[in-house]
Amino acid sequence: MAKRIKDTDYLAISARVRAMETGLLTRERMEQVLEARSDEEAVKILQECGYPELDATHPEAMDAALSAARESTLSDLGDSAPDPRYIDIFKLKYDYHNAKAVLKAGAMGTDPDHMLMDMGRVPAAELKEAIQSGELDNLPARLAAAVAEAKEVLDTTRDPQLSDILLDRWCYRDMDDVAEATGSKFLHGYVKAQIDAANLRFLVRTLRMGKNADFLRGVLFEGGDVAEDAILAVSAGGGNGLAELYASTRFRAAAEAGAEALRGGALTEFEKLCDDAVGDYLAGAQMVPFGEAPVLGYLAARETEYTNLRILLLGRSMGLPADVIRSRLRAGYV
């Protein structure tokens, strides 16, 4: 029988996470990077915060450096977490990302190596070999089933978008299984928030593309707090009732921005507010003294930080106005 993990088992790692939180980039620090007079000055500020040299003029190298930072964080906390499944929840999405890359590369006859991210539960090279050989038995059961079904869809339809959506659906099922197995209400809520964000995005994008409710039915994910039938009803009504459907949820502002996007507005603010709503859920971890919530909250905060750094540095390299870059930054943890 597996050992039952108690909140008190997290006393040491929770205290460590609280100390590590002081190293997160504050809004003030990001403002300093944003307002830096040169790229060299911006890089120096980030190096003072413990980051390696990040060169936005070479995006692949920058992404590799950020990936290495992610891997280091996951490995660091993974060594001391009483239950590794709370670390796996942040790793498994990379398994599905890598599966998408390998399957699409196979369909196009290209090499997927430059798209692979070696941060999943399964080493990227091992996953690539399993998919290319068709020998999936040694993969985690959910992932193996997902790859087999996605490959069949891709072979039949030649539509990588359908294959990607199917893999995303399996990914959320996998995350939900992990949350269920741990018994963590906080983790389960995090998964639900991500599913609700994804479904809201699908609703707005489907309506923007002029697709009908039947199309949306095929891409919605199960397991969120907002009922699928209610989402489909808004779709059938051409978007009427969108803001009202989400008015009592943490996605209220995102839904209002989505309604504006349906009237011809930009999607950028909508996408940001969807992410911010998930971040709002995670911010609740700061009020929990110990347990798995502080660990999950910190890891998610780091993910948001990496996203913001990419937005910030690429925006600077493209010469975007500071206000434009600022408006795209996700809400931080500190």
Side-chain angles (χ1 to χ4, degrees), residues 24 90 282 296-306 332-334:
L24 289 167
F90 291 92
L282 288 163
L296 294 167
Y298 173 75
L299 287 172
R302 277 295 184 195
E303 287 288 311
T304 299
E305 182 169 298
Y306 302 140
Y333 200 60
V334 292

Side-chain angles (χ1 to χ4, degrees), residues 14 64 93 107 115-116 123-125 162 180 185 295 310 318:
S14 296
K93 66 180 180 180
M115 296 184 290
L116 300 181
L162 289 178
E180 190 71 29
K185 292 182 179 179
V295 178
R310 197 172 190 281
M318 295 167 61

Side-chain angles (χ1 to χ4, degrees), residues 83-294:
D83 189 336
R85 290 175 296 188
Y86 294 122
I87 308 300
D88 284 348
I89 205 77
F90 291 92
K91 289 184 174 182
L92 65 83
K93 66 180 180 180
Y94 295 109
D95 290 335
Y96 287 89
H97 164 85
N98 289 339
K100 292 177 187 179
V102 175
L103 287 173
K104 282 189 281 192
M108 295 185 294
T110 59
D111 190 329
D113 284 356
H114 68 286
M115 296 184 290
L116 300 181
M117 303 178 75
D118 208 1
M119 292 182 290
R121 299 164 300 174
V122 182
E126 184 179 317
L127 180 56
K128 174 186 172 183
E129 172 61 27
I131 294 174
Q132 291 181 337
S133 68
E135 298 177 2
L136 308 176
D137 291 346
N138 291 328
L139 298 179
R142 279 281 197 194
L143 180 60
V147 168
E149 188 174 343
K151 187 177 187 306
E152 182 179 354
V153 166
L154 191 56
D155 289 344
T156 302
T157 67
R158 314 304 295 177
D159 187 341
Q161 184 179 30
L162 289 178
S163 175
D164 283 357
I165 290 171
L166 190 147
L167 283 168
D168 284 339
R169 179 172 285 112
W170 277 99
C171 182
Y172 283 123
R173 288 176 186 166
D174 212 340
M175 293 175 71
D176 200 48
D177 280 354
V178 172
E180 190 71 29
T182 64
S184 169
K185 292 182 179 179
F186 186 84
L187 179 55
H188 214 205
Y190 174 47
V191 175
K192 283 178 173 290
Q194 290 191 84
I195 292 172
D196 283 332
N199 284 343
L200 176 54
R201 285 187 173 102
F202 274 131
L203 171 58
V204 171
R205 289 171 185 167
T206 296
L207 290 167
R208 289 255 300 194
M209 291 187 296
K211 301 286 189 179
N212 58 29
D214 287 336
F215 173 86
L216 180 61
R217 192 189 311 275
V219 299
L220 285 178
F221 300 128
E222 301 171 355
D225 280 327
V226 180
E228 293 173 67
D229 286 347
I231 297 172
L232 291 168
V234 170
S235 176
N240 290 327
L242 170 60
E244 290 77 7
L245 175 60
Y246 290 89
S248 62
T249 75
R250 67 181 71 254
F251 292 92
R252 176 179 178 175
E256 290 173 353
E260 182 60 32
L262 293 178
R263 292 190 287 269
L267 283 171
T268 307
E269 178 69 4
F270 165 67
E271 296 283 354
K272 167 185 151 46
L273 289 172
C274 284
D275 287 343
D276 285 352
V278 177
D280 177 64
Y281 174 82
L282 288 163
Q286 293 178 305
M287 307 304 294
V288 181
F290 56 85
E292 77 280 5

